[in-house]
Amino acid sequence: MQKRRKGTKSRHGKKGVMRWQLAAAALVLVLLLGKACQAGLEWMNAQNAIREASATEEPGEDFRPDVGEPPYTVAVDAGHGGDDPGATGLIVERDMTAATAEALMAWLQADGNYIPVTTRDSYDVTATPMERAECSNRQHPDLLLSIHGNSAATEASGFECYPITPGRTWHRESVYFARQLAAGMENAGSSLRGQRGIRYIYYENGVKVLAEANDLRVREEETFTLLEQSSCPAVLAEQCFVTSAADVERFGDADGCELAARVYYQAICAYFSTTPLESLP
């Protein structure tokens, strides 16, 4: 009768136990990984829902943009310029936007909370909206303001501004900034057009189509190129009608451009929750 070697049974038993433990550990690991993946998927879905809501919902009274810490880089865009005069009337839009942008830059340069940048090297340089957007994005701004003037064949006046449209990144932040701009201009004596001075513009087959602020439909049509291509919250402001004598007197002549620039500066400070300077040094 063949004798069984000592220790054989115990070694085989230990190996069996080890195999069972490894299999159990692998099963636990698979279950944990599955739960982690499920949790990760749920988190991603929640984040996507938040982003979608941020793009389409209006900011409530308690909404405040997440701005981080100063200094903040602010891009100032003077509409038109160079060979492009923009709208003409009692004044030329190109001249008004350049004067206002220069005055705004002075306020931002004097305030240590801000690093002002422009969307082209000189107001005399001709640059397309796409080129100005690219120039702005290269400088990684936290906020962009594009300054323009309005015109009409009939009697029209007042201020209106256009934030990034619903469905796009930075929609809510842009609307919040637009509210600061509109409130400031109203306090300075301007009438507000549309719904409290805030509207949307879309291009349908090259034709501008106006939508009021309560129209939150997400549309395929693009808005102004500078807003569409912006890498940060952005608003295009129609400072006044260059065809209105009353508007030009308030916000279009030399003193008016200085006044508008101060309003814009204070709106920027309100957006970032900084205390504006009382005067220039």
Side-chain angles (χ1 to χ4, degrees):
M1 186 177 194
Q2 187 176 1
K3 293 182 178 181
R4 180 181 295 164
R5 282 189 278 179
K6 292 181 180 180
T8 302
K9 183 176 179 180
S10 62
R11 285 199 300 273
H12 288 173
K14 287 180 180 178
K15 288 181 179 178
V17 171
M18 290 178 64
R19 290 193 187 97
W20 180 86
Q21 290 175 332
L22 288 172
L27 179 60
V28 170
L29 182 60
V30 168
L31 291 174
L32 290 174
L33 287 173
K35 288 183 178 181
C37 290
Q38 180 64 28
L41 182 61
E42 290 175 355
W43 181 86
M44 288 178 62
N45 289 337
Q47 291 300 109
N48 287 334
I50 291 171
R51 280 194 290 270
E52 289 175 4
S54 177
T56 57
E57 292 180 359
E58 290 296 271
E61 292 300 322
D62 59 345
F63 174 81
R64 293 294 182 274
D66 183 6
V67 297
E69 298 296 326
Y72 305 108
T73 301
V74 177
V76 178
D77 175 65
H80 306 280
D83 296 333
D84 177 10
T88 58
L90 302 173
I91 56 174
V92 178
E93 182 181 3
R94 171 186 57 199
D95 300 336
M96 183 195 75
T97 64
T100 305
E102 188 173 8
L104 175 56
M105 290 289 290
W107 281 104
L108 294 171
Q109 287 166 347
D111 189 333
N113 290 308
Y114 299 102
I115 301 171
V117 298
T118 59
T119 57
R120 55 180 181 265
D121 294 334
S122 168
Y123 303 127
D124 295 329
V125 171
T126 304
T128 66
M130 178 62 77
E131 290 169 338
R132 297 189 338 253
E134 291 172 349
C135 179
S136 173
N137 293 341
R138 285 195 297 269
Q139 299 173 92
H140 307 290
D142 300 295
L143 190 67
L144 182 148
L145 173 62
S146 182
I147 304 168
H148 284 257
N150 226 331
S151 66
T154 57
E155 184 61 31
S157 61
F159 174 86
E160 60 191 21
C161 62
Y162 300 89
I164 291 175
T165 53
R168 268 61 166 182
T169 307
W170 309 120
H171 165 68
R172 288 207 299 173
E173 292 82 355
S174 300
V175 171
Y176 181 81
F177 181 38
R179 288 177 179 175
Q180 312 311 312
L181 292 165
M185 289 297 287
E186 183 177 39
N187 289 336
S190 179
S191 60
L192 300 182
R193 294 168 58 80
Q195 295 178 331
R196 305 301 302 162
I198 301 173
R199 291 171 151 174
Y200 301 116
I201 280 289
Y202 298 93
Y203 284 94
E204 292 184 0
N205 300 318
V207 178
K208 286 183 183 179
V209 176
L210 180 69
E212 296 295 350
N214 64 349
D215 186 349
L216 298 179
R217 290 174 297 162
V218 177
R219 302 173 58 154
E220 293 182 359
E221 296 88 357
E222 293 189 347
T223 185
F224 294 113
T225 299
L226 199 64
L227 301 183
E228 197 73 46
Q229 299 299 321
S230 179
S231 62
C232 67
V235 174
L236 186 149
E238 298 280 10
Q239 184 165 310
C240 68
F241 277 77
V242 300
T243 49
S244 165
D247 264 16
V248 169
E249 184 178 1
R250 287 194 187 98
F251 301 106
D253 62 11
D255 291 338
C257 290
E258 291 280 353
L259 174 58
R262 180 166 174 76
V263 169
Y264 296 159
Y265 164 67
Q266 291 172 336
I268 291 167
C269 291
Y271 178 88
F272 290 107
S273 298
T274 66
T275 302
L277 301 174
E278 291 293 333
S279 60
L280 289 172

Short mmCIF file of all heavy atoms in Angstrom, two decimals, residues 47-48 50-57 63 137 142-143 162-175 200 218-219 223-224 226-235 271:
data_model
loop_
_atom_site.label_atom_id
_atom_site.label_comp_id
_atom_site.label_asym_id
_atom_site.label_seq_id
_atom_site.Cartn_x
_atom_site.Cartn_y
_atom_site.Cartn_z
N GLN A 47 -23.33 66.69 -14.39
CA GLN A 47 -22.58 67.86 -14.84
C GLN A 47 -23.09 68.36 -16.19
O GLN A 47 -23.20 69.56 -16.42
CB GLN A 47 -21.08 67.53 -14.95
CG GLN A 47 -20.39 67.30 -13.60
CD GLN A 47 -20.48 68.52 -12.71
OE1 GLN A 47 -21.20 68.53 -11.73
NE2 GLN A 47 -19.77 69.56 -13.06
N ASN A 48 -23.41 67.42 -17.08
CA ASN A 48 -23.96 67.82 -18.38
C ASN A 48 -25.30 68.53 -18.20
O ASN A 48 -25.60 69.50 -18.90
CB ASN A 48 -24.13 66.59 -19.28
CG ASN A 48 -22.80 66.06 -19.78
OD1 ASN A 48 -21.83 66.80 -19.89
ND2 ASN A 48 -22.75 64.77 -20.10
N ILE A 50 -26.21 70.24 -15.59
CA ILE A 50 -25.91 71.56 -15.04
C ILE A 50 -25.46 72.50 -16.15
O ILE A 50 -25.89 73.66 -16.23
CB ILE A 50 -24.83 71.46 -13.94
CG1 ILE A 50 -25.40 70.75 -12.72
CG2 ILE A 50 -24.31 72.85 -13.56
CD1 ILE A 50 -24.37 70.42 -11.68
N ARG A 51 -24.58 72.01 -17.04
CA ARG A 51 -24.10 72.84 -18.14
C ARG A 51 -25.24 73.23 -19.07
O ARG A 51 -25.31 74.36 -19.55
CB ARG A 51 -22.99 72.11 -18.90
CG ARG A 51 -21.63 72.18 -18.22
CD ARG A 51 -20.54 71.75 -19.17
NE ARG A 51 -20.60 70.32 -19.44
CZ ARG A 51 -19.96 69.41 -18.72
NH1 ARG A 51 -19.24 69.77 -17.69
NH2 ARG A 51 -20.03 68.13 -19.04
N GLU A 52 -26.13 72.26 -19.35
CA GLU A 52 -27.27 72.57 -20.22
C GLU A 52 -28.17 73.62 -19.58
O GLU A 52 -28.65 74.54 -20.24
CB GLU A 52 -28.06 71.30 -20.52
CG GLU A 52 -27.32 70.33 -21.45
CD GLU A 52 -28.07 69.04 -21.64
OE1 GLU A 52 -29.19 68.93 -21.09
OE2 GLU A 52 -27.54 68.14 -22.32
N ALA A 53 -28.40 73.48 -18.27
CA ALA A 53 -29.22 74.46 -17.58
C ALA A 53 -28.54 75.82 -17.59
O ALA A 53 -29.18 76.85 -17.78
CB ALA A 53 -29.48 74.01 -16.14
N SER A 54 -27.22 75.81 -17.37
CA SER A 54 -26.48 77.07 -17.37
C SER A 54 -26.56 77.77 -18.71
O SER A 54 -26.57 79.00 -18.79
CB SER A 54 -25.02 76.81 -17.01
OG SER A 54 -24.27 77.99 -17.05
N ALA A 55 -26.65 76.99 -19.78
CA ALA A 55 -26.67 77.57 -21.12
C ALA A 55 -28.03 78.13 -21.48
O ALA A 55 -28.14 79.05 -22.28
CB ALA A 55 -26.24 76.52 -22.16
N THR A 56 -29.11 77.57 -20.90
CA THR A 56 -30.44 77.96 -21.35
C THR A 56 -31.23 78.76 -20.32
O THR A 56 -32.10 79.53 -20.68
CB THR A 56 -31.26 76.71 -21.74
OG1 THR A 56 -31.31 75.82 -20.61
CG2 THR A 56 -30.62 76.00 -22.91
N GLU A 57 -30.96 78.57 -19.04
CA GLU A 57 -31.73 79.26 -18.03
C GLU A 57 -31.21 80.66 -17.78
O GLU A 57 -30.01 80.92 -17.87
CB GLU A 57 -31.71 78.47 -16.72
CG GLU A 57 -32.45 77.15 -16.78
CD GLU A 57 -32.38 76.41 -15.46
OE1 GLU A 57 -31.74 76.93 -14.52
OE2 GLU A 57 -32.96 75.32 -15.38
N PHE A 63 -27.89 84.50 -8.52
CA PHE A 63 -26.78 84.00 -9.35
C PHE A 63 -25.60 84.96 -9.31
O PHE A 63 -25.76 86.17 -9.42
CB PHE A 63 -27.24 83.82 -10.80
CG PHE A 63 -26.11 83.44 -11.74
CD1 PHE A 63 -25.69 82.13 -11.82
CD2 PHE A 63 -25.48 84.41 -12.51
CE1 PHE A 63 -24.65 81.78 -12.69
CE2 PHE A 63 -24.45 84.07 -13.36
CZ PHE A 63 -24.03 82.75 -13.45
N ASN A 137 -9.08 85.76 -27.85
CA ASN A 137 -8.92 84.42 -27.27
C ASN A 137 -7.46 84.09 -26.96
O ASN A 137 -7.17 83.39 -25.99
CB ASN A 137 -9.51 83.37 -28.19
CG ASN A 137 -11.02 83.47 -28.30
OD1 ASN A 137 -11.68 84.08 -27.46
ND2 ASN A 137 -11.59 82.90 -29.36
N ASP A 142 -11.03 87.00 -19.16
CA ASP A 142 -12.10 86.54 -18.29
C ASP A 142 -13.44 87.14 -18.68
O ASP A 142 -14.49 86.64 -18.25
CB ASP A 142 -11.78 86.92 -16.84
CG ASP A 142 -10.48 86.30 -16.35
OD1 ASP A 142 -10.42 85.07 -16.25
OD2 ASP A 142 -9.53 87.06 -16.08
N LEU A 143 -13.41 88.20 -19.48
CA LEU A 143 -14.62 88.89 -19.90
C LEU A 143 -14.31 89.71 -21.13
O LEU A 143 -13.18 90.21 -21.28
CB LEU A 143 -15.09 89.82 -18.76
CG LEU A 143 -16.47 90.48 -18.89
CD1 LEU A 143 -17.58 89.42 -18.81
CD2 LEU A 143 -16.67 91.52 -17.80
N TYR A 162 -26.30 92.76 -26.37
CA TYR A 162 -26.51 91.39 -26.83
C TYR A 162 -25.52 90.45 -26.15
O TYR A 162 -24.33 90.46 -26.47
CB TYR A 162 -26.36 91.32 -28.34
CG TYR A 162 -27.35 92.19 -29.08
CD1 TYR A 162 -27.05 93.52 -29.38
CD2 TYR A 162 -28.60 91.70 -29.44
CE1 TYR A 162 -27.97 94.32 -30.04
CE2 TYR A 162 -29.52 92.50 -30.09
CZ TYR A 162 -29.20 93.82 -30.38
OH TYR A 162 -30.11 94.62 -31.03
N PRO A 163 -25.98 89.61 -25.23
CA PRO A 163 -25.11 88.61 -24.62
C PRO A 163 -25.00 87.37 -25.50
O PRO A 163 -25.72 87.23 -26.50
CB PRO A 163 -25.81 88.29 -23.30
CG PRO A 163 -27.26 88.55 -23.58
CD PRO A 163 -27.31 89.64 -24.62
N ILE A 164 -24.12 86.47 -25.12
CA ILE A 164 -24.03 85.16 -25.79
C ILE A 164 -25.38 84.47 -25.68
O ILE A 164 -26.04 84.50 -24.64
CB ILE A 164 -22.91 84.32 -25.17
CG1 ILE A 164 -21.54 84.94 -25.51
CG2 ILE A 164 -22.97 82.88 -25.63
CD1 ILE A 164 -20.36 84.25 -24.86
N THR A 165 -25.82 83.84 -26.75
CA THR A 165 -27.18 83.33 -26.87
C THR A 165 -27.40 82.03 -26.09
O THR A 165 -26.45 81.33 -25.73
CB THR A 165 -27.51 83.09 -28.35
OG1 THR A 165 -26.49 82.27 -28.94
CG2 THR A 165 -27.57 84.41 -29.10
N PRO A 166 -28.68 81.70 -25.80
CA PRO A 166 -29.00 80.45 -25.11
C PRO A 166 -28.43 79.23 -25.82
O PRO A 166 -28.38 79.17 -27.04
CB PRO A 166 -30.53 80.43 -25.13
CG PRO A 166 -30.92 81.87 -25.20
CD PRO A 166 -29.88 82.52 -26.07
N GLY A 167 -28.01 78.26 -25.02
CA GLY A 167 -27.45 77.04 -25.57
C GLY A 167 -25.95 77.07 -25.76
O GLY A 167 -25.32 76.04 -25.96
N ARG A 168 -25.35 78.27 -25.68
CA ARG A 168 -23.91 78.39 -25.84
C ARG A 168 -23.25 78.48 -24.46
O ARG A 168 -23.87 78.90 -23.48
CB ARG A 168 -23.55 79.66 -26.62
CG ARG A 168 -23.42 79.50 -28.12
CD ARG A 168 -24.66 79.03 -28.79
NE ARG A 168 -24.60 79.20 -30.25
CZ ARG A 168 -25.59 78.91 -31.06
NH1 ARG A 168 -26.72 78.42 -30.59
NH2 ARG A 168 -25.45 79.09 -32.36
N THR A 169 -21.98 78.06 -24.41
CA THR A 169 -21.20 78.23 -23.19
C THR A 169 -21.14 79.71 -22.83
O THR A 169 -21.07 80.56 -23.70
CB THR A 169 -19.78 77.68 -23.38
OG1 THR A 169 -19.85 76.34 -23.86
CG2 THR A 169 -19.00 77.70 -22.07
N TRP A 170 -21.19 80.00 -21.53
CA TRP A 170 -21.10 81.36 -20.99
C TRP A 170 -22.39 82.16 -21.18
O TRP A 170 -22.38 83.37 -21.01
CB TRP A 170 -19.92 82.16 -21.59
CG TRP A 170 -18.61 81.48 -21.53
CD1 TRP A 170 -17.80 81.14 -22.59
CD2 TRP A 170 -17.91 81.06 -20.35
NE1 TRP A 170 -16.66 80.52 -22.16
CE2 TRP A 170 -16.70 80.46 -20.78
CE3 TRP A 170 -18.19 81.12 -18.98
CZ2 TRP A 170 -15.77 79.94 -19.87
CZ3 TRP A 170 -17.27 80.60 -18.09
CH2 TRP A 170 -16.07 80.01 -18.53
N HIS A 171 -23.50 81.49 -21.50
CA HIS A 171 -24.74 82.24 -21.69
C HIS A 171 -25.16 82.98 -20.42
O HIS A 171 -25.40 84.19 -20.43
CB HIS A 171 -25.87 81.30 -22.13
CG HIS A 171 -27.23 81.87 -22.01
ND1 HIS A 171 -27.67 82.92 -22.79
CD2 HIS A 171 -28.28 81.59 -21.16
CE1 HIS A 171 -28.90 83.24 -22.45
NE2 HIS A 171 -29.28 82.46 -21.46
N ARG A 172 -25.25 82.25 -19.30
CA ARG A 172 -25.76 82.88 -18.08
C ARG A 172 -24.83 83.98 -17.59
O ARG A 172 -25.28 85.04 -17.15
CB ARG A 172 -25.95 81.82 -16.99
CG ARG A 172 -27.12 80.90 -17.21
CD ARG A 172 -27.67 80.36 -15.93
NE ARG A 172 -26.69 79.56 -15.20
CZ ARG A 172 -26.89 79.09 -13.97
NH1 ARG A 172 -28.01 79.37 -13.33
NH2 ARG A 172 -25.98 78.36 -13.38
N GLU A 173 -23.53 83.74 -17.66
CA GLU A 173 -22.57 84.76 -17.23
C GLU A 173 -22.67 86.01 -18.10
O GLU A 173 -22.57 87.14 -17.61
CB GLU A 173 -21.15 84.19 -17.27
CG GLU A 173 -20.86 83.12 -16.25
CD GLU A 173 -21.32 81.72 -16.67
OE1 GLU A 173 -21.96 81.60 -17.75
OE2 GLU A 173 -21.06 80.77 -15.94
N SER A 174 -22.89 85.80 -19.38
CA SER A 174 -23.01 86.93 -20.31
C SER A 174 -24.27 87.73 -20.03
O SER A 174 -24.26 88.97 -20.08
CB SER A 174 -23.00 86.43 -21.76
OG SER A 174 -21.79 85.74 -22.04
N VAL A 175 -25.36 87.04 -19.73
CA VAL A 175 -26.60 87.73 -19.39
C VAL A 175 -26.42 88.53 -18.10
O VAL A 175 -26.89 89.67 -17.98
CB VAL A 175 -27.78 86.73 -19.26
CG1 VAL A 175 -29.01 87.41 -18.69
CG2 VAL A 175 -28.09 86.11 -20.61
N TYR A 200 -31.26 89.32 -28.13
CA TYR A 200 -30.40 88.39 -28.86
C TYR A 200 -30.51 88.67 -30.36
O TYR A 200 -31.54 89.11 -30.84
CB TYR A 200 -30.80 86.94 -28.59
CG TYR A 200 -30.74 86.54 -27.13
CD1 TYR A 200 -31.89 86.18 -26.44
CD2 TYR A 200 -29.54 86.55 -26.44
CE1 TYR A 200 -31.85 85.83 -25.11
CE2 TYR A 200 -29.48 86.20 -25.10
CZ TYR A 200 -30.64 85.84 -24.44
OH TYR A 200 -30.59 85.50 -23.11
N VAL A 218 -33.05 77.35 -27.88
CA VAL A 218 -31.70 77.07 -28.36
C VAL A 218 -31.78 76.92 -29.88
O VAL A 218 -32.42 76.01 -30.39
CB VAL A 218 -31.12 75.80 -27.72
CG1 VAL A 218 -29.74 75.50 -28.30
CG2 VAL A 218 -31.05 75.96 -26.21
N ARG A 219 -31.16 77.83 -30.58
CA ARG A 219 -31.29 77.89 -32.03
C ARG A 219 -29.98 77.54 -32.71
O ARG A 219 -28.89 77.76 -32.17
CB ARG A 219 -31.75 79.29 -32.45
CG ARG A 219 -33.07 79.69 -31.81
CD ARG A 219 -33.45 81.13 -32.07
NE ARG A 219 -33.55 81.43 -33.49
CZ ARG A 219 -34.30 82.40 -33.99
NH1 ARG A 219 -35.03 83.15 -33.17
NH2 ARG A 219 -34.34 82.64 -35.28
N THR A 223 -25.03 83.87 -33.78
CA THR A 223 -25.16 85.27 -33.43
C THR A 223 -23.93 86.02 -33.96
O THR A 223 -23.24 85.53 -34.85
CB THR A 223 -25.32 85.44 -31.91
OG1 THR A 223 -25.56 86.83 -31.62
CG2 THR A 223 -24.10 84.96 -31.15
N PHE A 224 -23.66 87.20 -33.42
CA PHE A 224 -22.49 87.96 -33.84
C PHE A 224 -21.23 87.08 -33.72
O PHE A 224 -21.05 86.38 -32.71
CB PHE A 224 -22.31 89.20 -32.98
CG PHE A 224 -23.39 90.23 -33.14
CD1 PHE A 224 -24.27 90.51 -32.11
CD2 PHE A 224 -23.54 90.92 -34.34
CE1 PHE A 224 -25.27 91.47 -32.25
CE2 PHE A 224 -24.53 91.89 -34.49
CZ PHE A 224 -25.40 92.16 -33.45
N LEU A 226 -18.15 87.66 -33.04
CA LEU A 226 -17.30 87.90 -31.87
C LEU A 226 -17.84 87.18 -30.65
O LEU A 226 -17.08 86.64 -29.84
CB LEU A 226 -17.19 89.40 -31.60
CG LEU A 226 -16.01 89.85 -30.74
CD1 LEU A 226 -14.70 89.55 -31.43
CD2 LEU A 226 -16.11 91.34 -30.44
N LEU A 227 -19.17 87.15 -30.50
CA LEU A 227 -19.77 86.44 -29.38
C LEU A 227 -19.71 84.94 -29.60
O LEU A 227 -19.43 84.16 -28.68
CB LEU A 227 -21.22 86.87 -29.20
CG LEU A 227 -21.50 88.35 -28.94
CD1 LEU A 227 -23.00 88.57 -28.73
CD2 LEU A 227 -20.71 88.88 -27.76
N GLU A 228 -20.01 84.51 -30.81
CA GLU A 228 -20.04 83.09 -31.13
C GLU A 228 -18.68 82.43 -30.91
O GLU A 228 -18.60 81.28 -30.46
CB GLU A 228 -20.47 82.90 -32.58
CG GLU A 228 -20.94 81.50 -32.92
CD GLU A 228 -22.31 81.18 -32.34
OE1 GLU A 228 -23.22 82.01 -32.46
OE2 GLU A 228 -22.44 80.07 -31.77
N GLN A 229 -17.62 83.17 -31.19
CA GLN A 229 -16.27 82.60 -31.12
C GLN A 229 -15.56 82.91 -29.80
O GLN A 229 -14.42 82.48 -29.60
CB GLN A 229 -15.42 83.13 -32.28
CG GLN A 229 -15.96 82.77 -33.65
CD GLN A 229 -16.03 81.27 -33.87
OE1 GLN A 229 -15.14 80.53 -33.45
NE2 GLN A 229 -17.09 80.81 -34.53
N SER A 230 -16.20 83.63 -28.90
CA SER A 230 -15.54 84.05 -27.67
C SER A 230 -15.27 82.87 -26.74
O SER A 230 -16.12 81.98 -26.58
CB SER A 230 -16.38 85.10 -26.95
OG SER A 230 -15.75 85.49 -25.75
N SER A 231 -14.11 82.89 -26.10
CA SER A 231 -13.74 81.85 -25.14
C SER A 231 -14.07 82.25 -23.71
O SER A 231 -13.63 81.61 -22.76
CB SER A 231 -12.24 81.55 -25.25
OG SER A 231 -11.48 82.70 -24.92
N CYS A 232 -14.86 83.31 -23.53
CA CYS A 232 -15.21 83.80 -22.20
C CYS A 232 -16.58 84.48 -22.27
O CYS A 232 -17.11 84.69 -23.37
CB CYS A 232 -14.16 84.80 -21.70
SG CYS A 232 -14.12 86.35 -22.63
N PRO A 233 -17.19 84.82 -21.14
CA PRO A 233 -18.43 85.59 -21.18
C PRO A 233 -18.24 86.87 -21.98
O PRO A 233 -17.21 87.53 -21.87
CB PRO A 233 -18.71 85.88 -19.70
CG PRO A 233 -18.03 84.78 -18.96
CD PRO A 233 -16.80 84.46 -19.75
N ALA A 234 -19.23 87.22 -22.79
CA ALA A 234 -19.07 88.36 -23.70
C ALA A 234 -20.41 89.02 -23.97
O ALA A 234 -21.45 88.35 -24.02
CB ALA A 234 -18.42 87.91 -25.01
N VAL A 235 -20.36 90.33 -24.18
CA VAL A 235 -21.55 91.12 -24.51
C VAL A 235 -21.18 92.15 -25.56
O VAL A 235 -20.11 92.77 -25.48
CB VAL A 235 -22.12 91.84 -23.27
CG1 VAL A 235 -23.27 92.77 -23.66
CG2 VAL A 235 -22.60 90.82 -22.24
N TYR A 271 -19.61 93.05 -12.11
CA TYR A 271 -19.53 91.65 -12.53
C TYR A 271 -18.53 90.88 -11.68
O TYR A 271 -18.80 89.76 -11.24
CB TYR A 271 -19.13 91.58 -14.01
CG TYR A 271 -18.99 90.17 -14.53
CD1 TYR A 271 -20.09 89.49 -15.06
CD2 TYR A 271 -17.77 89.50 -14.49
CE1 TYR A 271 -19.97 88.19 -15.53
CE2 TYR A 271 -17.64 88.20 -14.96
CZ TYR A 271 -18.74 87.55 -15.48
OH TYR A 271 -18.63 86.26 -15.93
#
